[in-house]
Coordinates of all heavy atoms in Angstrom, one line a residue:
M1 N 1.8 12.5 9.5 CA 0.5 11.8 9.4 C 0.4 10.9 10.7 O 1.4 10.6 11.3 CB 0.5 10.9 8.2 CG 0.6 11.7 6.9 SD -0.8 12.9 6.8 CE -0.5 13.6 5.2
R2 N -0.8 10.4 10.9 CA -1.1 9.5 12.0 C -1.0 8.1 11.6 O -0.4 7.3 12.3 CB -2.4 9.8 12.6 CG -2.5 11.1 13.3 CD -3.9 11.3 14.0 NE -3.8 12.5 14.7 CZ -4.4 13.7 14.3 NH1 -5.1 13.7 13.1 NH2 -4.3 14.8 15.0
R3 N -1.6 7.7 10.4 CA -1.6 6.3 10.0 C -1.2 6.2 8.5 O -1.3 7.1 7.8 CB -3.0 5.8 10.2 CG -3.5 5.7 11.7 CD -5.0 5.4 11.8 NE -5.8 6.4 11.1 CZ -6.1 7.6 11.6 NH1 -5.7 8.0 12.8 NH2 -6.9 8.4 10.9
R4 N -0.9 5.0 8.2 CA -0.4 4.7 6.8 C -1.5 5.2 5.8 O -1.1 5.7 4.7 CB -0.2 3.2 6.6 CG 0.4 2.8 5.3 CD 0.5 1.3 5.2 NE 1.2 0.7 6.3 CZ 2.3 0.0 6.3 NH1 2.7 -0.4 5.1 NH2 2.9 -0.5 7.3
E5 N -2.7 5.0 6.1 CA -3.8 5.3 5.1 C -3.9 6.9 5.0 O -4.6 7.3 4.1 CB -5.1 4.7 5.5 CG -5.7 5.0 6.8 CD -5.3 4.0 7.9 OE1 -4.3 3.2 7.7 OE2 -5.9 4.1 9.0
D6 N -3.3 7.6 5.8 CA -3.3 9.1 5.7 C -2.3 9.6 4.7 O -2.4 10.8 4.3 CB -3.0 9.7 7.1 CG -4.1 9.5 8.1 OD1 -5.2 9.2 7.8 OD2 -3.7 9.5 9.3
L7 N -1.4 8.8 4.3 CA -0.4 9.2 3.3 C -1.0 9.4 2.0 O -1.9 8.6 1.6 CB 0.8 8.2 3.3 CG 1.6 8.0 4.5 CD1 2.6 6.9 4.4 CD2 2.4 9.3 4.8
Y8 N -0.6 10.4 1.2 CA -1.1 10.6 -0.1 C -0.1 11.2 -1.0 O 1.0 11.7 -0.5 CB -2.4 11.5 0.0 CG -2.1 12.9 0.5 CD1 -1.8 14.0 -0.4 CD2 -2.0 13.2 1.9 CE1 -1.5 15.2 0.1 CE2 -1.8 14.4 2.4 CZ -1.5 15.5 1.5 OH -1.2 16.7 1.9
A9 N -0.3 11.2 -2.3 CA 0.6 11.8 -3.3 C 2.0 11.2 -3.3 O 3.0 11.8 -3.7 CB 0.6 13.3 -3.2
L10 N 2.1 9.9 -2.9 CA 3.5 9.3 -2.8 C 4.1 9.2 -4.1 O 5.3 9.4 -4.3 CB 3.4 8.0 -2.1 CG 2.9 8.0 -0.6 CD1 2.8 6.7 0.0 CD2 3.8 8.9 0.2
D11 N 3.4 8.9 -5.2 CA 3.9 8.8 -6.5 C 4.5 10.1 -7.0 O 5.5 10.2 -7.6 CB 2.9 8.2 -7.5 CG 2.5 6.8 -7.3 OD1 3.3 6.1 -6.7 OD2 1.5 6.4 -7.7
E12 N 3.7 11.2 -6.7 CA 4.1 12.5 -7.1 C 5.4 12.9 -6.3 O 6.3 13.6 -6.9 CB 3.0 13.5 -6.9 CG 1.8 13.4 -7.8 CD 0.8 12.4 -7.3 OE1 1.0 11.6 -6.3 OE2 -0.3 12.4 -7.9
I13 N 5.4 12.6 -5.1 CA 6.6 12.9 -4.3 C 7.8 12.2 -4.8 O 8.9 12.7 -4.9 CB 6.4 12.7 -2.8 CG1 5.3 13.6 -2.2 CG2 7.7 12.8 -1.9 CD1 4.8 13.3 -0.9
E14 N 7.7 10.9 -5.1 CA 8.8 10.1 -5.7 C 9.3 10.7 -7.0 O 10.5 10.8 -7.2 CB 8.3 8.7 -5.9 CG 9.4 7.8 -6.5 CD 10.7 7.7 -5.7 OE1 10.6 7.7 -4.5 OE2 11.8 7.7 -6.4
T15 N 8.4 11.2 -7.8 CA 8.7 11.8 -9.1 C 9.5 13.1 -8.8 O 10.5 13.4 -9.4 CB 7.5 12.1 -10.0 OG1 6.9 10.9 -10.3 CG2 7.8 12.8 -11.2
L16 N 9.0 13.9 -7.9 CA 9.7 15.1 -7.5 C 11.1 14.9 -7.0 O 12.1 15.5 -7.4 CB 8.9 15.8 -6.4 CG 9.2 17.3 -6.2 CD1 8.2 18.2 -6.9 CD2 9.3 17.6 -4.7
A17 N 11.2 13.9 -6.1 CA 12.6 13.5 -5.6 C 13.5 13.0 -6.7 O 14.7 13.4 -6.7 CB 12.4 12.4 -4.5
R18 N 13.0 12.3 -7.6 CA 13.8 11.7 -8.7 C 14.3 12.9 -9.6 O 15.4 12.8 -10.1 CB 13.0 10.7 -9.5 CG 13.8 9.7 -10.2 CD 13.0 8.6 -10.9 NE 11.6 9.0 -11.4 CZ 10.5 8.6 -10.8 NH1 10.5 7.9 -9.7 NH2 9.3 9.0 -11.3
N19 N 13.5 13.9 -9.8 CA 13.9 15.0 -10.7 C 14.5 16.2 -10.0 O 14.9 17.1 -10.7 CB 12.6 15.4 -11.5 CG 12.1 14.3 -12.4 OD1 12.9 13.7 -13.1 ND2 10.8 14.1 -12.4
W20 N 14.6 16.2 -8.7 CA 15.2 17.3 -8.0 C 16.7 17.3 -8.2 O 17.4 16.3 -8.2 CB 14.9 17.1 -6.5 CG 15.1 18.3 -5.7 CD1 16.1 18.7 -4.9 CD2 14.1 19.4 -5.5 NE1 15.9 19.9 -4.3 CE2 14.7 20.3 -4.6 CE3 12.9 19.6 -6.1 CZ2 14.0 21.5 -4.3 CZ3 12.2 20.8 -5.7 CH2 12.8 21.7 -4.8
R21 N 17.2 18.5 -8.5 CA 18.7 18.6 -8.8 C 19.6 18.5 -7.6 O 20.7 18.3 -7.7 CB 18.9 19.9 -9.5 CG 18.3 19.9 -10.9 CD 18.6 21.2 -11.6 NE 17.9 21.1 -12.9 CZ 18.0 22.0 -13.8 NH1 18.8 23.1 -13.6 NH2 17.4 21.9 -14.9
G22 N 19.0 18.8 -6.4 CA 19.8 18.8 -5.2 C 19.4 17.6 -4.3 O 18.7 16.7 -4.7
C23 N 19.8 17.7 -3.1 CA 19.4 16.7 -2.1 C 17.9 16.9 -1.7 O 17.5 18.0 -1.4 CB 20.3 16.9 -0.8 SG 19.8 15.8 0.5
F24 N 17.2 15.8 -1.9 CA 15.8 15.8 -1.6 C 15.5 14.6 -0.7 O 15.7 13.5 -1.2 CB 14.9 15.8 -2.8 CG 13.4 15.9 -2.6 CD1 12.8 17.1 -2.7 CD2 12.7 14.7 -2.2 CE1 11.4 17.1 -2.5 CE2 11.3 14.8 -2.0 CZ 10.7 16.0 -2.1
V25 N 15.1 14.8 0.5 CA 14.8 13.6 1.4 C 13.3 13.7 1.8 O 12.9 14.7 2.4 CB 15.7 13.6 2.6 CG1 15.4 12.5 3.5 CG2 17.2 13.6 2.1
F26 N 12.6 12.7 1.6 CA 11.2 12.6 2.1 C 11.1 11.4 3.1 O 11.4 10.3 2.7 CB 10.3 12.3 0.9 CG 8.8 12.1 1.3 CD1 8.1 13.0 1.9 CD2 8.3 10.8 1.1 CE1 6.8 12.8 2.3 CE2 7.0 10.5 1.5 CZ 6.2 11.5 2.0
V27 N 10.7 11.7 4.3 CA 10.6 10.7 5.3 C 9.3 10.9 6.0 O 9.0 11.7 6.8 CB 11.7 10.9 6.4 CG1 11.6 9.8 7.5 CG2 13.1 10.8 5.8
P28 N 8.3 10.0 5.6 CA 7.0 10.1 6.3 C 7.2 9.6 7.7 O 7.9 8.6 8.0 CB 6.1 9.1 5.5 CG 7.0 8.3 4.7 CD 8.3 9.0 4.6
V29 N 6.6 10.3 8.7 CA 6.6 9.9 10.1 C 5.2 9.7 10.5 O 4.4 10.6 10.4 CB 7.3 11.0 10.9 CG1 7.3 10.6 12.4 CG2 8.7 11.3 10.5
L30 N 4.9 8.5 11.0 CA 3.5 8.2 11.4 C 3.5 8.2 12.9 O 4.3 7.5 13.6 CB 3.1 6.9 10.8 CG 3.1 6.8 9.3 CD1 2.5 5.5 8.8 CD2 2.3 8.0 8.7
S31 N 2.5 8.9 13.5 CA 2.5 9.0 15.0 C 1.6 8.0 15.6 O 1.8 7.7 16.8 CB 1.9 10.4 15.3 OG 0.6 10.6 14.9
E32 N 0.8 7.3 14.9 CA -0.1 6.3 15.5 C -0.1 4.9 14.9 O -0.8 4.0 15.4 CB -1.6 6.8 15.5 CG -1.8 8.1 16.3 CD -3.2 8.6 16.2 OE1 -4.1 7.9 15.6 OE2 -3.5 9.6 16.8
Q33 N 0.8 4.7 13.9 CA 0.8 3.4 13.3 C 1.8 2.5 14.0 O 3.0 2.8 14.0 CB 1.2 3.6 11.8 CG 1.1 2.3 11.0 CD -0.3 2.1 10.5 OE1 -1.0 3.0 10.1 NE2 -0.7 0.8 10.5
T34 N 1.4 1.4 14.5 CA 2.3 0.5 15.3 C 3.0 -0.5 14.4 O 4.1 -1.0 14.8 CB 1.5 -0.2 16.4 OG1 0.4 -0.9 15.8 CG2 1.0 0.8 17.4
D35 N 2.5 -0.9 13.3 CA 3.1 -1.9 12.4 C 3.8 -1.2 11.2 O 4.0 -1.8 10.2 CB 2.0 -2.9 11.9 CG 1.0 -2.2 11.1 OD1 0.8 -1.0 11.1 OD2 0.2 -3.0 10.4
W36 N 4.2 0.0 11.4 CA 4.9 0.8 10.3 C 6.4 0.5 10.4 O 7.0 0.7 11.4 CB 4.5 2.3 10.5 CG 5.2 3.2 9.7 CD1 6.2 4.2 10.1 CD2 5.1 3.5 8.3 NE1 6.6 4.9 9.1 CE2 5.9 4.6 7.9 CE3 4.3 2.9 7.3 CZ2 6.0 5.1 6.7 CZ3 4.4 3.4 6.0 CH2 5.2 4.5 5.7
P37 N 7.0 0.1 9.3 CA 8.5 -0.1 9.3 C 9.3 1.1 9.3 O 10.5 1.1 9.5 CB 8.7 -1.0 8.1 CG 7.6 -0.6 7.1 CD 6.4 -0.3 8.0
G38 N 8.7 2.3 8.9 CA 9.4 3.5 8.8 C 9.5 4.3 10.1 O 9.3 3.7 11.2
A39 N 9.7 5.6 10.0 CA 9.8 6.4 11.1 C 8.5 6.6 11.8 O 7.4 6.7 11.2 CB 10.4 7.8 10.7
S40 N 8.5 6.6 13.1 CA 7.3 6.7 13.9 C 7.5 7.7 15.1 O 8.6 7.9 15.5 CB 6.7 5.4 14.4 OG 7.7 4.8 15.3
G41 N 6.4 8.2 15.6 CA 6.6 9.2 16.7 C 6.2 10.5 16.2 O 5.3 10.7 15.4
L42 N 7.0 11.5 16.6 CA 6.8 12.9 16.2 C 7.9 13.4 15.4 O 9.1 13.0 15.6 CB 6.6 13.8 17.5 CG 5.5 13.4 18.4 CD1 5.5 14.3 19.6 CD2 4.1 13.5 17.7
V43 N 7.6 14.3 14.4 CA 8.6 14.7 13.4 C 9.9 15.3 14.1 O 11.0 15.0 13.7 CB 8.0 15.7 12.5 CG1 9.0 16.3 11.5 CG2 6.9 15.0 11.7
P44 N 9.8 16.2 15.1 CA 11.0 16.8 15.7 C 12.0 15.7 16.2 O 13.2 16.0 16.2 CB 10.5 17.6 16.8 CG 9.1 18.0 16.5 CD 8.6 16.8 15.7
Q45 N 11.5 14.5 16.6 CA 12.4 13.5 17.0 C 13.3 12.9 16.0 O 14.4 12.3 16.2 CB 11.6 12.3 17.6 CG 10.7 12.6 18.7 CD 9.7 11.5 19.0 OE1 9.1 10.9 18.1 NE2 9.6 11.2 20.3
H46 N 13.0 13.1 14.7 CA 13.7 12.5 13.6 C 14.5 13.6 12.8 O 15.3 13.1 11.9 CB 12.7 11.8 12.6 CG 12.0 10.7 13.3 ND1 12.5 9.5 13.5 CD2 10.8 10.7 13.9 CE1 11.7 8.7 14.1 NE2 10.6 9.4 14.4
L47 N 14.4 14.8 13.0 CA 15.1 15.8 12.2 C 16.6 15.7 12.2 O 17.2 15.8 11.1 CB 14.7 17.2 12.7 CG 13.2 17.6 12.4 CD1 12.9 19.0 13.1 CD2 12.9 17.6 11.0
A48 N 17.2 15.5 13.3 CA 18.7 15.4 13.3 C 19.3 14.3 12.4 O 20.3 14.5 11.9 CB 19.2 15.3 14.8
T49 N 18.5 13.3 12.3 CA 19.0 12.1 11.5 C 19.2 12.5 10.0 O 20.0 11.9 9.3 CB 18.0 11.0 11.6 OG1 17.8 10.7 12.9 CG2 18.4 9.8 10.8
Y50 N 18.4 13.5 9.5 CA 18.3 13.7 8.1 C 18.8 15.1 7.7 O 18.7 15.5 6.6 CB 16.9 13.6 7.6 CG 16.3 12.2 7.8 CD1 15.5 11.9 8.9 CD2 16.7 11.2 7.0 CE1 15.1 10.6 9.1 CE2 16.2 9.9 7.2 CZ 15.4 9.6 8.3 OH 15.0 8.4 8.5
L51 N 19.5 15.8 8.6 CA 19.9 17.2 8.3 C 21.3 17.3 7.8 O 22.3 17.0 8.5 CB 19.8 18.1 9.6 CG 18.5 18.6 10.0 CD1 18.6 19.4 11.3 CD2 17.9 19.5 8.9
P52 N 21.5 17.6 6.5 CA 22.8 17.9 6.0 C 23.3 19.3 6.4 O 22.4 20.1 6.8 CB 22.7 17.8 4.5 CG 21.2 18.2 4.3 CD 20.5 17.7 5.5
A53 N 24.5 19.5 6.4 CA 25.1 20.9 6.7 C 24.4 21.9 5.7 O 24.2 21.5 4.5 CB 26.6 20.9 6.5
G54 N 24.1 23.0 6.2 CA 23.5 24.1 5.3 C 22.1 23.8 4.9 O 21.6 24.3 3.9
A55 N 21.4 22.9 5.6 CA 20.0 22.5 5.2 C 19.1 23.7 5.2 O 19.2 24.7 6.0 CB 19.5 21.5 6.2
H56 N 18.1 23.6 4.3 CA 16.9 24.5 4.3 C 15.7 23.6 4.7 O 15.7 22.4 4.3 CB 16.7 25.1 3.0 CG 17.6 26.2 2.6 ND1 17.2 27.4 2.2 CD2 19.0 26.2 2.6 CE1 18.3 28.2 2.0 NE2 19.4 27.4 2.2
A57 N 14.8 24.1 5.4 CA 13.6 23.3 5.8 C 12.3 24.0 5.3 O 12.2 25.2 5.4 CB 13.6 23.2 7.3
Y58 N 11.4 23.2 4.8 CA 10.1 23.6 4.4 C 9.1 22.8 5.2 O 9.0 21.6 5.0 CB 10.0 23.4 2.9 CG 11.0 24.2 2.1 CD1 12.3 23.8 1.9 CD2 10.7 25.5 1.7 CE1 13.2 24.5 1.2 CE2 11.6 26.3 1.0 CZ 12.9 25.8 0.8 OH 13.8 26.5 0.1
L59 N 8.4 23.5 6.1 CA 7.5 22.9 7.0 C 6.1 23.2 6.6 O 5.8 24.4 6.3 CB 7.8 23.3 8.4 CG 9.2 23.2 8.9 CD1 9.4 23.9 10.2 CD2 9.6 21.7 9.0
C60 N 5.2 22.3 6.8 CA 3.8 22.5 6.6 C 3.0 21.6 7.5 O 3.2 20.4 7.5 CB 3.4 22.3 5.1 SG 1.7 22.7 4.7
G61 N 2.1 22.2 8.3 CA 1.3 21.4 9.2 C 0.7 22.2 10.3 O 0.6 23.4 10.2
P62 N 0.2 21.5 11.3 CA -0.4 22.2 12.4 C 0.6 23.1 13.1 O 1.8 22.8 13.2 CB -0.9 21.1 13.4 CG -0.8 19.8 12.6 CD 0.2 20.1 11.5
P63 N 0.1 24.2 13.7 CA 1.0 25.2 14.3 C 1.9 24.6 15.4 O 3.1 24.9 15.4 CB 0.1 26.2 14.9 CG -1.1 26.2 14.0 CD -1.3 24.8 13.6
A64 N 1.4 23.7 16.2 CA 2.2 23.1 17.2 C 3.4 22.3 16.7 O 4.5 22.3 17.2 CB 1.4 22.2 18.2
M65 N 3.1 21.5 15.6 CA 4.2 20.7 14.9 C 5.2 21.6 14.3 O 6.4 21.4 14.4 CB 3.6 19.8 13.9 CG 4.5 18.8 13.3 SD 5.5 19.3 11.9 CE 4.3 19.7 10.7
V66 N 4.7 22.7 13.6 CA 5.7 23.6 12.9 C 6.5 24.3 13.9 O 7.7 24.4 13.7 CB 4.9 24.6 12.0 CG1 5.8 25.7 11.5 CG2 4.2 23.9 10.9
D67 N 5.9 24.7 15.0 CA 6.7 25.4 16.1 C 7.8 24.5 16.7 O 8.9 24.9 16.9 CB 5.8 26.0 17.1 CG 4.9 27.1 16.6 OD1 5.2 27.7 15.5 OD2 3.9 27.4 17.3
A68 N 7.4 23.2 17.0 CA 8.3 22.3 17.6 C 9.4 22.0 16.6 O 10.6 21.9 17.0 CB 7.6 21.0 18.0
C69 N 9.1 21.8 15.3 CA 10.1 21.5 14.3 C 11.1 22.7 14.2 O 12.3 22.6 14.1 CB 9.5 21.2 13.0 SG 8.8 19.5 13.0
T70 N 10.5 23.9 14.2 CA 11.3 25.1 14.0 C 12.3 25.2 15.2 O 13.5 25.5 15.0 CB 10.4 26.4 13.9 OG1 9.6 26.3 12.8 CG2 11.2 27.6 13.9
A71 N 11.8 25.0 16.4 CA 12.7 25.1 17.6 C 13.8 24.0 17.5 O 15.0 24.3 17.8 CB 11.9 24.9 18.8
S72 N 13.5 22.8 17.1 CA 14.4 21.7 16.9 C 15.5 22.1 15.9 O 16.7 21.8 16.0 CB 13.7 20.4 16.6 OG 14.6 19.4 16.5
L73 N 15.0 22.6 14.7 CA 16.0 22.9 13.6 C 16.9 24.0 14.1 O 18.1 23.9 13.8 CB 15.2 23.4 12.4 CG 14.4 22.3 11.7 CD1 13.4 22.9 10.7 CD2 15.4 21.3 10.9
I74 N 16.4 25.1 14.7 CA 17.3 26.1 15.2 C 18.3 25.6 16.2 O 19.5 25.9 16.2 CB 16.4 27.3 15.8 CG1 15.7 28.0 14.6 CG2 17.3 28.3 16.6 CD1 14.7 29.0 15.0
E75 N 17.8 24.8 17.1 CA 18.7 24.1 18.1 C 19.8 23.3 17.5 O 20.9 23.2 18.0 CB 17.8 23.2 19.0 CG 18.5 22.7 20.2 CD 17.5 21.9 21.1 OE1 16.6 22.5 21.7 OE2 17.6 20.7 21.1
Q76 N 19.5 22.8 16.3 CA 20.5 22.0 15.6 C 21.3 22.8 14.6 O 22.1 22.2 13.8 CB 19.8 20.8 14.9 CG 19.2 19.8 15.9 CD 18.3 18.8 15.2 OE1 18.7 18.1 14.3 NE2 17.0 18.7 15.6
G77 N 21.2 24.1 14.6 CA 22.1 24.9 13.8 C 21.5 25.4 12.5 O 22.3 26.0 11.7
V78 N 20.3 25.1 12.2 CA 19.7 25.6 10.9 C 19.4 27.1 11.1 O 18.7 27.5 12.1 CB 18.5 24.8 10.5 CG1 17.8 25.4 9.2 CG2 18.8 23.3 10.3
A79 N 19.8 27.9 10.2 CA 19.6 29.3 10.3 C 18.1 29.6 10.1 O 17.4 29.0 9.3 CB 20.3 30.1 9.1
A80 N 17.6 30.5 11.0 CA 16.2 30.8 11.0 C 15.7 31.3 9.6 O 14.6 31.0 9.1 CB 15.8 31.9 12.0
A81 N 16.6 31.9 8.8 CA 16.3 32.4 7.5 C 16.1 31.3 6.5 O 15.5 31.4 5.4 CB 17.4 33.4 7.0
H82 N 16.6 30.1 6.9 CA 16.5 28.9 6.0 C 15.3 28.0 6.4 O 15.1 26.9 5.9 CB 17.7 28.1 6.1 CG 18.9 28.8 5.4 ND1 20.2 28.3 5.6 CD2 19.0 29.9 4.7 CE1 21.0 29.1 5.0 NE2 20.3 30.1 4.4
I83 N 14.4 28.5 7.3 CA 13.2 27.7 7.7 C 12.0 28.4 7.2 O 11.8 29.6 7.5 CB 13.2 27.6 9.3 CG1 14.5 26.9 9.8 CG2 11.9 26.8 9.7 CD1 14.6 26.9 11.3
H84 N 11.3 27.7 6.4 CA 10.1 28.3 5.7 C 8.9 27.5 6.2 O 9.0 26.2 6.2 CB 10.2 28.3 4.2 CG 11.5 28.8 3.8 ND1 11.8 30.2 3.6 CD2 12.7 28.2 3.5 CE1 13.1 30.3 3.3 NE2 13.6 29.1 3.2
A85 N 7.8 28.1 6.6 CA 6.7 27.4 7.1 C 5.3 27.9 6.7 O 5.1 29.1 6.5 CB 6.8 27.4 8.7
D86 N 4.4 26.9 6.6 CA 3.0 27.2 6.3 C 2.2 26.5 7.4 O 2.2 25.2 7.4 CB 2.6 26.7 4.9 CG 1.2 27.0 4.5 OD1 0.6 27.8 5.2 OD2 0.8 26.5 3.5
R87 N 1.6 27.2 8.3 CA 0.9 26.6 9.4 C -0.6 26.4 9.0 O -1.2 27.3 8.5 CB 0.9 27.5 10.6 CG 2.3 27.5 11.3 CD 2.4 28.7 12.3 NE 3.6 28.6 13.0 CZ 4.8 29.1 12.5 NH1 4.8 29.6 11.3 NH2 5.9 29.0 13.2
F88 N -1.1 25.2 9.2 CA -2.5 24.9 8.9 C -3.3 25.6 10.0 O -3.0 25.6 11.2 CB -2.8 23.4 9.0 CG -2.2 22.6 8.0 CD1 -2.2 21.2 8.1 CD2 -1.6 23.1 6.8 CE1 -1.7 20.4 7.1 CE2 -1.1 22.3 5.9 CZ -1.1 20.9 6.0
T89 N -4.3 26.2 9.6 CA -5.3 26.8 10.5 C -6.7 26.4 10.2 O -7.0 26.0 9.1 CB -5.2 28.4 10.5 OG1 -5.5 28.8 9.2 CG2 -3.8 28.9 10.9
T90 N -7.5 26.5 11.2 CA -8.9 26.2 11.0 C -9.8 27.4 11.2 O -9.6 28.1 12.2 CB -9.4 25.1 12.0 OG1 -8.5 24.0 11.9 CG2 -10.8 24.7 11.8
I91 N -10.6 27.7 10.2 CA -11.5 28.8 10.3 C -12.9 28.3 10.5 O -13.4 27.5 9.8 CB -11.4 29.7 9.1 CG1 -10.0 30.2 8.8 CG2 -12.5 30.8 9.1 CD1 -9.9 31.0 7.5
T92 N -13.5 28.8 11.6 CA -14.9 28.4 11.8 C -15.8 29.6 11.6 O -15.4 30.7 12.0 CB -15.1 27.8 13.3 OG1 -14.7 28.8 14.2 CG2 -14.3 26.6 13.5
R93 N -16.9 29.3 11.0 CA -17.8 30.4 10.7 C -19.1 30.2 11.5 O -19.6 29.1 11.5 CB -18.1 30.5 9.2 CG -16.9 30.8 8.4 CD -17.3 30.8 6.9 NE -16.1 30.7 6.1 CZ -15.6 31.8 5.4 NH1 -16.2 32.9 5.5 NH2 -14.6 31.6 4.7
E94 N -19.5 31.2 12.1 CA -20.8 31.1 12.8 C -21.9 31.3 11.9 O -21.8 32.2 11.0 CB -20.8 32.2 13.9 CG -19.8 31.9 15.0 CD -19.9 32.9 16.2 OE1 -21.1 33.4 16.4 OE2 -18.9 33.2 16.8
T95 N -22.9 30.5 12.0 CA -24.1 30.7 11.1 C -25.3 31.2 11.8 O -25.4 31.2 13.0 CB -24.4 29.3 10.4 OG1 -24.6 28.4 11.4 CG2 -23.3 28.9 9.5

């Protein structure tokens, strides 16, 4: 996300994390928030900090972010078969 106000479904994510049987780490990274106490910048910059051995990654977002994260994960030893992604796309219709 860019700013704190862009974050959503935090209660649902907390519930999911609490009930997850395995390791579940949620780290919001804000790219434009200057007074944010959490992670800031771009997501690929933070991946190595949170990667356990044998990690699986589930990515969702703009294609450039997904591609950068995928490259970073592979560089850090995550198997390509363990990286799952959904790229956001925009469809424009001519009227």
Side-chain angles (χ1 to χ4, degrees):
M1 300 296 184
R2 291 187 176 100
R3 295 168 304 277
R4 185 184 307 234
E5 59 267 16
D6 294 334
L7 295 172
Y8 62 94
L10 297 177
D11 292 338
E12 290 87 349
I13 292 169
E14 178 59 36
T15 299
L16 196 102
R18 205 173 32 252
N19 294 317
W20 198 259
R21 292 183 183 183
C23 176
F24 183 100
V25 179
F26 172 68
V27 180
V29 178
L30 302 183
S31 61
E32 295 179 4
Q33 188 83 39
T34 57
D35 62 344
W36 172 248
S40 62
L42 300 176
V43 174
Q45 298 169 317
H46 299 278
L47 291 174
T49 304
Y50 300 99
L51 280 178
H56 287 235
Y58 298 85
L59 309 168
C60 186
M65 188 274 301
V66 170
D67 293 343
C69 287
T70 299
S72 178
L73 290 164
I74 289 171
E75 189 174 289
Q76 294 171 56
V78 177
H82 293 168
I83 301 171
H84 313 277
D86 184 12
R87 289 167 175 78
F88 292 169
T89 58
T90 303
I91 299 173
T92 56
R93 298 177 194 258
E94 294 184 29
T95 55

